[in-house]
Structure formats: structure tokens, C-alpha cells
Amino acid sequence: MKKLIIVVPAGQNNLSSVVGPYKFFIKANEYFKMRGLPRVFDVQLAGVNEKEELYDGLFSIKPHTCIRSIDKADFVIIPALAHHNLLEVVSINQELISWLKQQYSMGAELASICTGAFLLASTGLLDRKSCSTHWNAATLFRQSFPDGHLATVKILTNEQGVYTNGGAY
């Protein structure tokens, strides 16, 4: 079974890009179960903190576990970040950035959704690789990560087990 981790960074996240992939992979497991097959994914939300407040406390995410508790993942999804304060969210997630690098070095594949590419680029793993992010964040991304090859015309990129996309889904 593949250990699939959806990370919950500290700071403002896009709630739908956490919930959407979570529901998608849970449904995939249900599909396999209906067919009499074993689950394919062990899906967990893993956070830096025990709880993240979103939208001025209107919503909160309580991850299943902490990234410190996960020795090895097979696949990690980085959700979209709120469009304001992208670099601030990067600055408060240094522990997560280090953890992502460690997971990749142990063979995990990494995927970012939309502006989650800012966290992924902060690892250095997008240097000299084709990548995408939300078109509205392209200028800031190029300024912040000049070694990444931002391909704004691509919705999806895949290079050496590192995936990005240019929109929420």
C-alpha cells in the first residue's frame, strides 16, 4: 500500500486543495474495495502543527499526524497556499521544507497544487526543472525562484518524480 501524505503547512492554506485530494484518494480506495481489491493508498493529513486555523478561524484543519511522526512517505501532496503572503507562508514552514527534501531523498514523489509550488521551489527541487503555478503568482514566483523554469502555458509538469500544476485541480 502506498503511503500518501497530504501536508498541512503552517499558515494560510487553500482548504479545498487539502480536502479535494483527500476525498479523491479516499474514494479511490472505496472503488478498489467495491471491486474486492485491497486499498491502494494509506491517506493521511500531516501537519506541522496540531491544528491550522483558516479564514479568520471560520475553518480549521486537524491533521491525522505530524510530519515529525512520518519516517517515509511514497507520495506527498503540497496544497495551494492562500494567494496573499505566499513568501510569509514559505518563511514559517522551514521545518516542512526540510522534511520535503528528506522525503524526496528517500524516494518519495512530491506534487504541488497551484501556489504550493512556492513551498516545493523552496526545497531547491524545482531548480533547473520545468514547473508551473497559478498564473497570478507567476511574476512573484520568477522573482523568488529564478532557477526554476516556470512554464506558465503548462497546466501539469512532471520531472523526476516532482509534479506541479498551474491551478487548484
Side-chain angles (χ1 to χ4, degrees):
M1 184 175 339
K2 298 272 185 193
K3 185 174 234 169
L4 188 144
I5 303 299
I6 301 166
V7 294
V8 180
Q12 291 298 309
N13 299 287
N14 180 312
L15 182 60
S16 65
S17 71
V18 174
V19 175
Y22 179 76
K23 288 176 70 175
F24 176 84
F25 287 102
I26 294 297
K27 290 285 185 190
N29 278 338
E30 289 172 7
Y31 173 82
F32 284 101
K33 183 179 177 183
M34 277 183 2
R35 301 276 182 272
L37 300 169
R39 293 184 313 152
V40 175
F41 305 104
D42 174 13
V43 185
Q44 291 185 321
L45 299 183
V48 175
N49 300 311
E50 290 182 13
K51 181 169 121 176
E52 284 302 322
E53 298 280 336
L54 306 176
Y55 306 105
D56 299 320
L58 185 60
F59 298 101
S60 63
I61 302 174
K62 296 178 186 173
H64 299 113
T65 190
C66 178
I67 59 170
R68 290 176 221 93
S69 301
I70 298 171
D71 295 326
K72 184 175 179 331
D74 295 302
F75 199 86
V76 179
I77 297 174
I78 304 161
L81 309 174
H83 280 271
H84 57 290
N85 303 324
L86 291 167
L87 297 179
E88 179 184 321
V89 174
V90 168
S91 72
I92 63 173
N93 278 285
Q94 295 305 304
E95 179 183 6
L96 175 58
I97 291 165
S98 295
W99 183 83
L100 291 168
K101 286 193 281 193
Q102 176 190 35
Q103 291 300 313
Y104 185 75
S105 73
M106 294 188 309
E109 294 181 89
L110 307 178
S112 66
I113 298 172
C114 193
T115 52
F118 279 74
L119 282 174
L120 189 51
S122 296
T123 66
L125 295 171
L126 292 180
D127 292 356
R128 295 170 303 285
K129 290 186 177 117
S130 179
C131 59
S132 60
T133 191
H134 192 281
W135 64 269
N136 198 33
T139 299
L140 180 60
F141 187 91
R142 281 192 181 100
Q143 292 168 350
S144 305
F145 307 104
D147 293 331
H149 298 149
L150 189 61
T152 54
V153 295
K154 289 189 175 183
I155 293 175
L156 297 171
T157 66
N158 170 12
E159 289 211 26
Q160 301 166 328
V162 178
Y163 308 88
T164 62
N165 77 3
Y169 292 99

